Amino acid sequence: MLQGHQVGLRARHESDVAVLHAELYDDVLTRSRADTRPWRPIPPTSAASPFAVADPDDRAACFSVVTLDRNELAGDAILWGIDTHNRSAHLGLGLRPAFRGLGLSTDVVRVLCRYGFAVRGLQRLQLETLADNHAMIRAAERIGFVREGTLRRAAWVDGAFINEAVFGLLAEDWRRDA
């Protein structure tokens, strides 16, 4: 398990799937804010569930987020679109409602950066978030991500277009102590 100050990132367990699916996927508005694809009904037992346990893949590293103090399932985290040629990837996370607002997002981003830069040897990490997702923007900026631009009206969410903010962090700018 990869450990931060408050959270650990570990392999997904079968027992995590139903909880993550119910709280992060079946909430249509939450899921539509987190994914560019349209929501559709998918049972948690389906291999199409975004939280299904899958074999390791060189293009993505999926984690379950657990609290270190109580070992509670707090959410999911992912390094996706891993490009070994350009040594880059995207990162994302989702916290269960009971774990939001506790400062865990910053720690998850910190641990994902350590995994991407120190373990995988990547040179660039990128994240995209809705421009009104102030918690994610604060977490990214605390770790050292730089806002690289805005994708105007790029996300269709609950009947309206919303801007997306794009952030990047280079290995040479990463602060291990952030």
Side-chain angles (χ1 to χ4, degrees), residues 43-140:
T45 55
S46 170
S49 168
F51 306 108
V53 175
D55 290 331
D57 182 345
D58 287 339
R59 296 166 294 165
C62 301
F63 301 96
S64 285
V65 177
V66 295
T67 59
L68 292 178
D69 60 348
R70 298 177 60 182
N71 196 34
E72 291 180 295
L73 178 64
D76 83 308
I78 184 169
L79 210 62
W80 61 276
I82 300 172
D83 180 337
T84 55
H85 176 72
N86 292 304
R87 294 178 48 206
S88 64
H90 301 259
L91 63 89
L93 65 101
L95 294 176
R96 297 173 55 204
F99 295 90
R100 295 177 191 153
L102 304 175
L104 301 181
S105 293
T106 301
D107 205 30
V108 173
V109 173
R110 180 183 297 112
V111 178
L112 282 172
C113 288
R114 187 170 69 242
Y115 176 72
F117 293 134
V119 176
R120 296 296 294 259
L122 300 176
Q123 66 90 27
R124 175 186 166 77
L125 293 176
Q126 179 172 313
L127 67 86
E128 302 85 11
T129 189
L130 297 178
D132 65 355
N133 187 348
H134 304 294
M136 188 66 211
I137 290 169
R138 278 192 307 277

